[in-house]
Amino acid sequence: MNLILLEASEISPEGLAVLRDERAVHVHEVLRAQAGGRLRAGIVDGPLGEVSVIQSLPHELVLDCTPLASAPVPPRPEVDVLLALPRPKVLGRLLRSLACLGVGRVLLTHAARVEPYYFDAHQLAPDYLGARLREGLSQAKDTRLPVVSVHRSFRRLLEDELDALCPVGPRLVADLVPAAPRLSEACRPRPGERVLVALGPEGGWVDFERELFLARGFVTFGMGERVLRSDVACIAALGLAHEALFTR
Amino acid sequence: MNLILLEASEISPEGLAVLRDERAVHVHEVLRAQAGGRLRAGIVDGPLGEVSVIQSLPHELVLDCTPLASAPVPPRPEVDVLLALPRPKVLGRLLRSLACLGVGRVLLTHAARVEPYYFDAHQLAPDYLGARLREGLSQAKDTRLPVVSVHRSFRRLLEDELDALCPVGPRLVADLVPAAPRLSEACRPRPGERVLVALGPEGGWVDFERELFLARGFVTFGMGERVLRSDVACIAALGLAHEALFTR
């Protein structure tokens, strides 16, 4: 926990926050904060800076958050991910990793090779997903919460919804296609553009999905001949997309 | 399991292999192989090709491996990783991910911010590590088993052992240093060279370690201002190193 992440609703009009959950335990037991000390903190989708410790007890932490009022809001990460819904067991850990690496939007979609029962998993509950995303932000020292949406129709997502959700920038889809360019070759974002990266289910995309991606302006890229697990592929691709943005 | 991975010792002089473990179950229940069918298979550190199914029962699989005799041996991945020993809970999953992405050698080292008790964890047992690495290879369709070594002295590893283990090619160390170049900028491998990437513990390297890296020819690179979990950083960095090798 490199950052104490707060909801705006947790801060009183006087700028005080009283926390009684694992954040209080962490600050007391791991950081061993003392009254008067300062902690790295931020407000979800808001400023990132420091707060003062008024009191740190084993299960209650009182913070003066007024210094945050003048702190800057970090920029939203410039990469979005379109992801065939992974196995429920993998989903939470993967979303935490994505929030840690930095992602603006995560579109979770059905695909021919996604098992329909994945959509009924408790791991898709907003509270569960939100907790994993906040863990990733606390690790990365960021406040910009990825926006996660769930799409049960791949066709509707691609044909009707995507242009509003991801209007500007390169669109890339990972596939095991021989001679496909690498992401760093296929992705040349211009200033102001966001990068959208699509990653398939364990068994890969089917032809209908491939065709719809191409029709919607996606460029295919490859990551070599190895068959990667979807969570490993996703982390590696997001790292490559950030590299392309940093070195543009 | 995209590949049935065999030990050379499992194959009889006549080219037969009789398997009675989870591979037999997988082939019977998931792949539903029939006698006469062909399966993607390989021998650890040996050829990668196809074998014929002689018999597939729920708990016994008999394979004719003679076609492997003339199959090619895949090249060894050209990236090596030097890794501050991660938390035991993370280690197995991370090694599976590294074997999946492709790594030649994994040097697990002590560092100032590694808890010494990590070295006593059962997850460091060769059988446990080997099983995780084989899972990664089966996923990736590769036979080249990463060579894992454990180094309890960081100084001895860097000063006395590293040049023999990783003799030729760029050496890179990840660090949270402002204005450090990105990996794609710092890493320009020439043909025939291998890339060595070093990644620190959760709390980062200490100054003594940084200085020793620089003295041993490492170049520092950054992956942005975010504080990444060490497993996420490792997967992203390995992806970037492979990209640098592919696009050289």
Side-chain angles (χ1 to χ4, degrees):
Chain A
M1 206 183 282
N2 296 311
L3 172 81
I4 306 300
L5 193 61
L6 303 157
E7 302 290 331
S9 61
E10 290 179 306
I11 303 174
S12 74
E14 295 74 33
L16 293 186
V18 182
L19 308 180
R20 296 192 183 90
D21 56 15
E22 70 280 2
R23 293 169 294 180
V25 177
H26 181 82
V27 167
H28 187 80
E29 292 187 1
V30 181
L31 304 183
R32 297 181 188 188
Q34 306 280 334
R38 294 178 81 84
L39 293 175
R40 193 98 189 137
I43 300 172
V44 170
D45 282 323
L48 174 69
E50 287 192 332
V51 295
S52 299
V53 177
I54 294 175
Q55 189 175 55
S56 174
L57 299 173
H59 294 289
E60 183 175 282
L61 173 66
V62 185
L63 299 172
D64 172 12
C65 301
T66 50
L68 283 180
S70 55
V73 179
R76 189 172 162 223
E78 295 173 289
V79 187
D80 300 317
V81 170
L82 189 164
L83 191 60
L85 186 64
R87 280 183 300 126
K89 216 178 110 184
V90 170
L91 180 64
R93 192 170 67 232
L94 178 57
L95 284 183
R96 185 181 64 192
S97 298
L98 295 185
C100 182
L101 277 162
V103 63
R105 199 180 266 288
V106 182
L107 309 168
L108 297 171
T109 182
H110 189 45
R113 293 191 179 130
V114 169
E115 299 283 350
Y117 75 85
Y118 291 1
F119 285 90
D120 304 322
H122 74 87
Q123 287 92 340
L124 272 178
D127 281 359
Y128 179 85
L129 292 185
R132 300 293 86 70
L133 295 171
R134 284 167 173 75
E135 287 173 13
L137 293 184
S138 292
Q139 165 73 33
K141 296 192 194 171
D142 187 15
T143 65
R144 300 302 298 257
L145 194 69
V147 178
V148 178
S149 53
V150 180
H151 305 267
R152 282 175 175 257
S153 165
F154 176 83
R155 180 199 286 267
R156 199 180 312 133
L157 169 61
L158 271 276
E159 291 187 344
D160 303 335
E161 298 163 348
L162 192 64
D163 287 348
L165 294 169
C166 303
V168 57
R171 293 176 171 181
L172 301 144
V173 55
D175 208 346
L176 271 177
V177 174
R182 308 289 291 197
L183 189 143
S184 60
E185 298 167 326
C187 176
R188 303 280 186 200
R190 285 174 292 199
E193 288 188 334
R194 301 179 60 76
V195 177
L196 172 61
V197 183
L199 293 124
E202 289 294 339
W205 303 109
V206 298
D207 284 344
F208 159 74
E209 292 158 354
R210 291 192 174 95
E211 286 159 19
L212 198 44
F213 275 121
L214 298 182
R216 304 307 294 167
F218 282 76
V219 175
T220 303
F221 74 97
M223 293 197 281
E225 292 173 20
R226 309 177 78 88
V227 184
L228 303 181
R229 274 172 58 107
S230 62
D231 53 337
V232 172
C234 194
I235 293 171
L238 190 51
L240 290 168
H242 275 293
E243 190 87 351
L245 283 160
F246 261 86
T247 54
R248 71 182 165 194
Chain B
M1 207 182 281
N2 296 312
L3 172 80
I4 306 301
L5 194 61
L6 304 157
E7 303 291 331
S9 60
E10 291 179 306
I11 302 174
S12 74
E14 296 74 33
L16 293 186
V18 182
L19 309 180
R20 296 191 184 92
D21 56 16
E22 70 281 1
R23 294 169 294 180
V25 177
H26 181 84
V27 167
H28 188 80
E29 293 186 0
V30 180
L31 304 183
R32 297 183 188 188
Q34 306 280 334
R38 294 178 81 83
L39 293 174
R40 194 97 188 138
I43 300 171
V44 171
D45 282 323
L48 174 68
E50 287 191 332
V51 294
S52 299
V53 177
I54 294 176
Q55 188 176 54
S56 173
L57 300 171
H59 295 288
E60 183 174 282
L61 173 65
V62 185
L63 299 172
D64 172 12
C65 302
T66 49
L68 283 180
S70 56
V73 179
R76 188 173 164 223
E78 294 171 289
V79 187
D80 300 318
V81 169
L82 188 163
L83 191 60
L85 186 63
R87 280 182 299 127
K89 216 179 111 184
V90 170
L91 179 64
R93 192 170 67 233
L94 179 56
L95 284 183
R96 186 181 64 192
S97 298
L98 296 185
C100 182
L101 277 161
V103 63
R105 197 180 268 287
V106 181
L107 309 168
L108 297 171
T109 182
H110 188 45
R113 293 192 178 129
V114 169
E115 299 283 351
Y117 75 85
Y118 290 1
F119 284 89
D120 304 323
H122 73 88
Q123 287 92 341
L124 273 177
D127 282 358
Y128 179 86
L129 293 185
R132 300 293 84 71
L133 295 172
R134 283 166 173 75
E135 286 173 14
L137 293 183
S138 292
Q139 165 72 32
K141 296 191 194 173
D142 188 16
T143 64
R144 299 303 296 257
L145 194 68
V147 178
V148 177
S149 53
V150 179
H151 305 267
R152 283 177 174 255
S153 166
F154 176 82
R155 180 199 286 267
R156 200 180 313 133
L157 170 61
L158 271 276
E159 290 187 344
D160 304 334
E161 299 164 347
L162 192 63
D163 288 347
L165 294 168
C166 303
V168 58
R171 294 175 170 181
L172 300 143
V173 55
D175 208 347
L176 271 177
V177 174
R182 308 288 292 196
L183 189 143
S184 60
E185 298 167 327
C187 176
R188 306 275 187 204
R190 285 173 293 199
E193 287 187 334
R194 303 179 58 78
V195 177
L196 172 61
V197 183
L199 292 124
E202 290 294 341
W205 302 109
V206 298
D207 284 345
F208 159 73
E209 291 157 354
R210 290 192 175 95
E211 285 158 20
L212 198 44
F213 276 122
L214 298 182
R216 304 307 293 166
F218 282 77
V219 174
T220 303
F221 74 95
M223 293 198 281
E225 293 173 17
R226 309 178 77 89
V227 183
L228 303 181
R229 275 173 59 107
S230 61
D231 54 337
V232 172
C234 192
I235 293 170
L238 190 51
L240 290 168
H242 274 293
E243 191 87 351
L245 284 160
F246 261 86
T247 54
R248 72 182 164 194

